[in-house]
């Protein structure tokens, strides 16, 4: 039987090295992703996040066709760009497979246009504002096959949503059966006060952890009380979470592999991070499983 961290971490991290706070050059970001793909931790890596406008630059950066096509999550600005994805997959055949796309929407008519343009076999994540109440927009995704996207932070303290706003978003997703991804500010397993950028003089602020989202989603799937879900979302005490080979224990709650797998399949599908090493290495230290650390031998 696989240890609990396999269903938790497998395919969890979409690499967003091109975006703040890392904001790497294309050459550095592609070099990093290629290295991560060949590492012992490649199973925890998912897609390379790439803006539509930088496709040609990405190909030039690689220089030669990779031995295996790169899985790409394409950031698009309008539904018409979504409709181009089958042609792009054909044009860049052997180089990439765009099987995921991300686009913003703030109105129901925008969601309808996105749904109309959604290509077959492409998972489309619709970034919906967490405020005002996103419940109507998320409910509109339910019968479309579209997924939701939640922005959980940024490079300023003001960019981080209030816990109740995140909880409202998660509740709408879980209650409507809409899986989601998250992005921004999720480099760490657990909530805490961290530097907001990599600058030496960076301000600090409270950031959410990806385990907070997973635990809160797991509790919502069990229809736990509001106060328990909120407590999981803002949990910042590492001693409150314990890992065994087969369970995650948080305070008075216990989650087995099936519970984690359910969240990963119908709740938190992935999160975007401009660092791959940081989330993995911190989890290895946090869970007392040093062999999971990037660069370590399994």
């Amino acid at each position: 039987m696989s240890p609990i961290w396999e269903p938790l971490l497998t395919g969890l991290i979409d690499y967003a090295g091109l975006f703040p706070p890392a904001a790497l050059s294309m050459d550095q970001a592609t070099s990093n992703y290629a290295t991560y793909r060949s590492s012992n931790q490649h199973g925890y890596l998912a897609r390379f996040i790439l803006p539509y406008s930088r496709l040609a630059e990405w190909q030039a950066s690689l220089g030669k066709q990779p031995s295996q096509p790169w899985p790409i999550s394409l950031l698009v600005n309008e539904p018409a760009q979504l409709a181009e994805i089958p042609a792009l997959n054909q044009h860049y055949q052997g180089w990439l497979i765009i099987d995921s796309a991300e686009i913003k929407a703030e109105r129901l008519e925008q969601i309808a246009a996105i749904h109309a343009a959604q290509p077959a076999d492409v998972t489309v994540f619709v970034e919906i504002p967490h405020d005002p109440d996103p419940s109507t927009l998320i409910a509109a995704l339910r019968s479309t096959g579209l997924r939701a996207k939640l922005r959980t932070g940024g490079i300023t303290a003001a960019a981080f949503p209030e816990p109740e706003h995140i909880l409202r978003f998660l509740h709408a997703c879980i209650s409507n059966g809409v899986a989601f991804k998250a992005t921004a500010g999720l480099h760490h397993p657990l909530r805490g006060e961290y530097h907001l950028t990599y600058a030496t003089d960076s301000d600090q602020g409270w950031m959410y952890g990806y385990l907070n989202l997973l635990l809160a989603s797991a509790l919502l799937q069990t229809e736990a009380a509001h106060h328990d879900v909120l407590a999981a979302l803002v949990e910042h005490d590492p001693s409150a979470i314990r890992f065994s080979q087969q369970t995650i224990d948080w305070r008075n709650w216990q989650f087995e592999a099936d519970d984690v797998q359910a969240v990963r399949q119908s709740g938190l599908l992935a999160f975007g991070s401009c660092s791959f090493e940081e989330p993995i290495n911190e989890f290895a230290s946090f869970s007392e499983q040093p062999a999971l650390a990037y660069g370590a031998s399994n």
Side-chain angles (χ1 to χ4, degrees):
M1 186 177 295
S2 299
I4 192 72
W5 47 85
E6 289 300 324
L8 170 62
L9 297 176
T10 297
L12 181 62
I13 303 174
D14 283 341
Y15 181 59
L18 295 173
F19 300 88
L24 301 177
S25 67
M26 182 66 76
D27 286 347
Q28 186 61 65
T30 56
S31 175
N32 286 356
Y33 188 79
T35 300
Y36 302 148
R37 289 190 88 197
S38 62
S39 73
N40 289 334
Q41 285 70 29
H42 69 276
Y44 310 137
L45 181 67
R47 299 168 181 85
F48 185 90
I49 301 179
L50 180 64
Y52 171 94
S53 62
R54 301 184 73 177
L55 274 162
E57 181 189 358
W58 170 85
Q59 185 181 41
S61 179
L62 262 64
K64 64 178 181 179
Q65 184 173 310
S67 58
Q68 294 291 329
W70 284 23
I72 297 292
S73 188
L74 193 67
L75 297 190
V76 302
N77 297 317
E78 56 189 35
Q81 293 173 343
L82 281 178
E84 292 180 36
I85 289 177
L88 292 171
N89 277 331
Q90 183 65 32
H91 178 76
Y92 292 100
Q93 187 174 11
W95 291 77
L96 56 70
I97 298 174
I98 302 169
D99 63 354
S100 173
E102 304 174 31
I103 188 170
K104 295 181 180 180
E106 298 180 350
R107 302 187 304 276
L108 289 172
E109 56 267 30
Q110 291 176 311
I111 291 175
I114 291 167
H115 181 219
Q118 181 181 13
D121 302 320
V122 176
T123 300
V124 177
F125 292 92
V126 183
E127 182 177 333
I128 292 173
H130 58 79
D131 191 45
D133 189 345
S135 300
T136 300
L137 295 177
I138 292 172
L141 302 179
R142 180 173 51 200
S143 61
T144 64
L146 300 170
R147 302 291 183 251
K149 178 180 173 182
L150 169 65
R151 187 164 294 275
T152 55
I155 58 174
T156 64
F160 288 81
E162 293 295 324
E164 288 285 1
H165 288 180
I166 292 183
L167 182 52
R168 183 173 62 187
F169 192 103
L170 298 181
H171 182 268
C173 287
I174 299 299
S175 62
N176 283 286
V178 175
F180 65 95
K181 74 174 295 185
T183 191
L186 289 170
H187 295 192
H188 310 282
L190 204 60
R191 193 167 191 251
E193 194 169 14
Y194 305 102
H195 289 287
L196 298 176
T197 73
Y198 294 121
T200 55
D201 59 348
S202 169
D203 290 337
Q204 288 188 307
W206 282 92
M207 304 171 73
Y208 298 96
Y210 54 89
L211 282 181
N212 295 105
L213 292 185
L214 183 132
L215 289 171
S217 298
L219 288 166
L220 284 167
Q221 289 190 338
T222 67
E223 300 183 356
H226 177 90
H227 64 85
D228 283 326
V229 184
L230 182 61
L233 183 61
V234 299
E235 181 64 77
H236 60 274
D237 181 2
S239 67
I241 302 179
R242 299 172 303 283
F243 287 86
S244 71
Q245 283 285 319
Q246 302 303 328
T247 65
I248 302 174
D249 293 270
W250 172 70
R251 299 197 182 274
N252 295 324
W253 293 83
Q254 184 175 86
F255 304 96
E256 299 180 349
D258 287 348
D259 303 313
V260 175
Q261 191 67 48
V263 173
R264 291 296 321 283
Q265 290 179 342
S266 59
L268 178 62
L269 298 181
F271 72 90
S273 173
C274 69
S275 172
F276 176 69
E277 299 176 40
E278 199 169 48
I280 295 300
N281 287 343
E282 287 198 23
F283 181 85
S285 175
F286 174 76
S287 62
E288 298 182 345
Q289 297 295 331
L292 289 173
Y294 176 77
S297 298
N298 285 333

